[in-house]
Amino acid sequence: MLRLAAASLAGTAIEFYDFFVYGTAAALVLGPLFFPTFSPLAGTLAAFGTFGVGFVARPLGSVLFGHIGDRRGRRPVLVGSLLLTGASTVAVGFVPSYDRIGLAAPLLLLLLRFLQGLGLGGEWGGAVLLTVEHAPAGRRALWSSFPQIGPAIGFLLANGVLLALSALLPDAQFARWGWRVPFWAAGALALGGLWLRSSLAETPRFLEIDEPARVPFAEVVRHHWRLVLLTAGALAVGYAVFYAVTTWSLAYGTERLGVSRTVMLTCVMAAVVVKASLTPAMALLGDRYGRRPLCLAGCAASALWMFPMVALLATGQPLLMFLGFTGALVAFVTMFAVVAAYLPELYAPRVRCTGAAVGYNLGGVLGGALTPIVATALAERGGRVPWAVGAYLTGIALLSLGCFALLPETRPVPVAAAEPAAG
């Protein structure tokens, strides 16, 4: 299990590195380079628009790779998704800016971001099922939390490289070529991930399937559409909170508050470290007390913390911003530490790769694709404290709370508890 969990974690870390490095670059530098004819605000919104395309592509990737995962096995998904995401990320680093090739520059950016999202849409389902379908029933949440740590590591890698480059290079050199280095580095990371995954065995649960679904997505839509919509709505708050902290706040802090890139990235990265370190502990609680109670608690905490978070962000003080970000990400991880076990347990093995991944990535469209764009527009109309952003995030949290309340519990009942008492 340790070897499987390590390979799963490494793969998700690499793929989310690819995805996050684009989000950070969109917040810091892509607007002026690829949309120079726009105003600063419009350029940032346009850059976040290309960022959002990756989320729109993720459910499509779930359908494509989910079909492969449910028909051919989980292992081919892990290899194919990593290749696609890695190649498209490296290519972003070679796209000339608008002043070199004009309109073709943002169009190429849009295409490559779509391919990134397509690959990442398949990655989560394959990586999670690799651990869930090998793990003992009483520790599914714990072992499946390892791929959930991967996004945090990917974020720290992406932002660590950008932080170092932004601190070492003058602004002109960073804008000219420095931002491209993290995209080029994705190639080496992808090769390392392929090496790690090359010897993995197929999951026993897939091998037990007698008759794979002919068209898994059609079966999911026909028999589980309500479940897909509920899980998408339930997970929307996690995406909204995470990308409000890791993407929108970077743009808001540097452009509106005048805080340096280095300070903003450091505050966000420190909060992500706290989130990653708490993931296994939250997963253990999910194995002991159930998936649904933790998800409900995380939603409620998110709803209560969004107004304090934006108020702390608006101070521009590093310690207070870190406190605001940390509170938000602790609420986030309370939910997302257990969803890697929760979602697959909601579906039968024959459609599990498709159903769990489609619901997970539709939540990304609802919460992740729109949040940086909506939050940027709302913050522009408000005063120094973006209360409207807090209201928007609180509304999403309440929506997700209602969706989680309608989902069943899935934690396996221990054998001793399931058997009637003697006598």
Side-chain angles (χ1 to χ4, degrees):
M1 282 307 307
L2 275 173
R3 184 175 63 84
L4 289 167
S8 182
L9 185 154
T12 53
I14 292 164
E15 293 225 32
F16 276 91
Y17 166 90
D18 297 348
F19 203 72
F20 289 144
V21 77
Y22 189 101
T24 305
L28 298 178
V29 75
L30 294 186
L33 290 176
F34 290 89
F35 305 95
T37 60
F38 292 14
S39 69
L41 172 63
T44 299
L45 287 170
F48 281 151
T50 60
F51 172 76
V53 165
F55 285 96
V56 174
R58 282 172 65 169
L60 300 177
S62 301
V63 174
L64 171 64
F65 286 101
H67 184 89
I68 296 170
D70 286 324
R71 293 280 303 167
R72 304 297 179 190
R74 320 312 191 196
R75 190 172 173 273
V77 172
L78 297 172
V79 176
S81 62
L82 187 59
L83 277 172
L84 179 57
T85 308
S88 55
T89 303
V90 172
V92 170
F94 290 100
V95 175
S97 56
Y98 186 92
D99 60 3
R100 297 279 301 278
I101 60 172
L103 186 60
L107 291 177
L108 281 172
L109 210 59
L110 201 67
L111 172 63
L112 293 171
R113 180 60 175 175
F114 180 86
L115 294 175
Q116 264 192 331
L118 207 65
L120 193 63
E123 163 65 24
W124 185 85
V128 162
L129 293 188
L130 178 71
T131 53
V132 167
E133 294 187 340
H134 275 100
R139 285 290 180 263
R140 281 186 197 143
L142 174 63
W143 288 113
S144 65
S145 73
F146 279 77
Q148 294 298 81
I149 300 171
I153 295 175
F155 178 84
L156 292 171
L157 281 173
N159 286 273
V161 175
L162 280 167
L163 176 61
L165 290 167
S166 109
L168 293 172
L169 296 175
D171 286 348
Q173 289 188 34
F174 181 78
R176 188 162 59 249
W177 61 268
W179 68 271
R180 298 179 183 273
V181 173
F183 290 90
W184 297 334
L189 292 174
L191 291 175
L194 289 172
W195 176 77
L196 281 172
R197 290 180 165 184
S198 61
S199 61
L200 294 178
E202 187 54 77
T203 71
R205 198 67 67 236
F206 176 78
L207 296 175
E208 292 170 1
I209 298 173
D210 295 325
E211 186 180 351
R214 180 173 295 179
V215 184
F217 180 65
E219 189 168 320
V220 168
V221 171
R222 188 163 55 247
H223 299 296
H224 306 292
W225 62 269
R226 182 176 179 272
L227 186 57
V228 169
L229 293 179
L230 281 176
T231 52
L235 299 179
V237 63
Y239 283 101
V241 168
F242 188 82
Y243 287 101
V245 170
T246 60
T247 301
W248 167 73
S249 69
L250 292 177
Y252 182 81
T254 55
E255 295 172 9
R256 289 290 301 276
L257 303 179
V259 182
S260 73
R261 284 195 301 258
T262 302
V263 169
M264 288 302 305
L265 283 170
T266 302
C267 290
V268 173
M269 288 171 65
V272 171
V273 169
V274 176
K275 165 204 166 287
S277 65
L278 289 175
T279 301
M282 293 297 183
L284 281 170
L285 291 176
D287 276 327
R288 181 166 185 178
Y289 298 108
R291 293 45 163 140
R292 190 167 168 268
L294 264 73
C295 291
L296 292 171
C299 281
S302 298
L304 293 171
W305 189 248
M306 292 302 97
F307 283 109
M309 185 195 79
V310 297
L312 291 167
L313 169 62
T315 66
Q317 299 298 312
L319 187 58
L320 295 178
M321 291 192 296
F322 164 72
L323 176 62
F325 298 154
T326 300
L329 293 184
V330 168
F332 163 86
V333 79
T334 304
M335 297 174 278
F336 271 57
V338 298
V339 296
Y342 195 12
L343 265 64
E345 288 170 345
L346 290 168
Y347 293 90
R350 60 185 271 121
V351 295
R352 181 174 285 164
C353 195
T354 300
V358 169
Y360 185 84
N361 287 297
L362 275 178
V365 176
L366 296 175
L370 297 177
T371 292
I373 300 170
V374 173
T376 299
L378 291 174
E380 183 65 19
R381 299 193 188 99
R384 181 176 176 85
V385 181
W387 297 118
V389 177
Y392 170 74
L393 294 172
T394 301
I396 295 178
L398 293 174
L399 168 68
S400 294
L401 185 66
C403 291
F404 272 124
L406 296 173
L407 287 171
E409 179 56 75
T410 62
R411 180 172 65 103
V413 178
V415 174
E419 294 173 350

